[in-house]
Amino acid sequence: MIKSVKGQFILSIIVAIGFVANSFFYIDFTRFLFSQKMFYFVMIFSVFNAGLLTQKYFQTKKK
């Protein structure tokens, strides 16, 4: 597990970018299956988590 805030921040940004890129390159939008809905839920959660870690990272840099 990554203990530093900077490491968590970088990892979450990479994962969020990966999910967004994967969804736009590999998902067929003409049919929307349950697995694709779950993938979008995980993608949105990942981007939200990246935003929270960004806020946490900037708060620790101010101190």
Side-chain angles (χ1 to χ4, degrees):
M1 194 73 191
I2 300 174
K3 294 186 181 194
S4 70
V5 176
K6 186 176 182 180
Q8 289 177 357
F9 171 66
I10 292 170
L11 183 65
S12 66
I13 293 296
I14 290 171
V15 169
I17 289 171
F19 271 122
V20 172
N22 190 22
S23 70
F24 286 124
F25 291 136
Y26 297 111
I27 290 182
D28 183 18
F29 290 104
T30 57
R31 54 185 173 90
F32 204 62
L33 302 174
F34 177 73
S35 61
Q36 292 172 342
K37 290 178 187 176
M38 290 303 298
F39 186 80
Y40 272 111
F41 177 74
V42 170
M43 181 185 68
I44 291 169
F45 180 74
S46 173
V47 172
F48 178 75
N49 189 30
L52 289 179
L53 286 173
T54 303
Q55 181 181 6
K56 184 178 178 182
Y57 176 71
F58 285 128
Q59 286 177 349
T60 58
K61 290 297 259 185
K62 288 182 182 179
K63 291 182 181 179

